[in-house]
Amino acid sequence: GVLIIGQTIDQVEQTRHRLLWVLGAGTLGALAAVALLGSWLVSLGLAPLRAVERAAAKITGSELDRRVPGDSDTTEVGRLAGAINTMLDRLHESFLQRGRDVEALQASEARMRRFVADASHELRTPLAATAAYAELFERGARDRPEDLARAMTGIRTETARMAELVDDLLLLAQLDEGRPLVLAEVDLADVAAEAVQ
């Protein structure tokens, strides 16, 4: 005869299905936990970089003296912050130098305008006197020796005065370029007598 013995395996199948479900849920839970932990660790690692980014975003043209934090760290972010701060130092110095250069140019331009105005005013007087002596010559001074001598002396004097003014103008232009000033003694009596004449 044949003896057949059997037992239902429903319970084993249920246990196997439960085990598969628990392993699947555990794996998904572990993956989710690893993803959250990894995200937190990455966020924690990038926090200094975000601080550098926020500080750099707050730096504008009017606030070039601001610096990014963390430049003393020996990490990559610390080295990046140090490089950014070095760049900002150079930019700040460059903007300051540019401001000084602009101020110097504006001052030089103002001096040049005053110089041109003063030169025009100073040259008008000898030119007018020379024109007056020439007109005196045309009105008959050439026929009267005393008037002719006076007209020619006046023309020579005013021409010499204009030559001195032109020399002074050249000297002032050289001084504006930064060349050193050479001082000399002047007899004020001669200057006053020439001005009266």
Side-chain angles (χ1 to χ4, degrees):
V2 175
L3 178 63
I4 299 176
I5 298 174
Q7 186 178 2
T8 179
I9 60 169
D10 286 343
Q11 192 175 12
V12 173
E13 283 296 315
Q14 284 178 353
T15 303
R16 188 175 67 84
H17 284 301
R18 228 180 293 142
L19 182 62
L20 286 175
W21 190 86
V22 167
L23 284 175
T27 302
L28 289 177
L31 286 175
V34 166
L36 286 174
L37 181 64
S39 173
W40 178 74
L41 287 174
V42 167
S43 174
L44 188 65
L46 291 178
L49 193 57
R50 286 196 184 104
V52 167
E53 177 190 8
R54 281 191 301 275
K58 289 179 184 175
I59 296 171
T60 62
S62 60
E63 293 181 339
L64 283 178
D65 55 342
R66 252 190 155 159
R67 296 296 173 260
V68 294
D71 60 346
S72 60
D73 296 344
T74 58
T75 62
E76 289 85 4
V77 175
R79 288 193 294 273
L80 173 66
I84 289 173
N85 285 341
T86 301
M87 178 189 66
L88 288 172
D89 288 339
R90 290 180 184 157
L91 282 173
H92 189 238
E93 183 56 37
S94 187
F95 274 112
L96 291 176
Q97 184 60 43
R98 181 176 163 246
R100 288 190 293 264
D101 290 347
V102 166
E103 287 174 5
L105 284 174
Q106 288 172 342
S108 177
E109 185 179 334
R111 282 194 312 271
M112 190 57 76
R113 283 190 181 135
R114 281 193 310 273
F115 170 73
V116 169
D118 292 345
S120 299
H121 179 71
E122 288 295 321
L123 284 173
R124 247 186 231 136
T125 302
L127 285 173
T130 303
Y133 286 124
E135 186 178 336
L136 180 64
F137 179 78
E138 289 173 354
R139 291 190 179 199
R142 63 180 154 222
D143 299 331
R144 294 185 300 278
E146 67 279 351
D147 287 341
L148 178 60
R150 182 174 172 218
M152 289 299 125
T153 301
I155 289 173
R156 267 194 306 279
T157 302
E158 294 305 324
T159 304
R161 185 174 173 197
M162 279 190 284
E164 285 179 25
L165 284 172
V166 169
D167 287 342
D168 290 345
L169 292 176
L170 289 173
L171 175 65
L172 288 174
Q174 290 171 350
L175 289 176
D176 194 47
E177 290 176 0
R179 293 186 184 171
L181 178 63
V182 178
L183 300 176
E185 291 187 16
V186 176
D187 187 1
L188 292 179
D190 291 342
V191 175
E194 186 179 325
V196 168
Q197 187 183 18

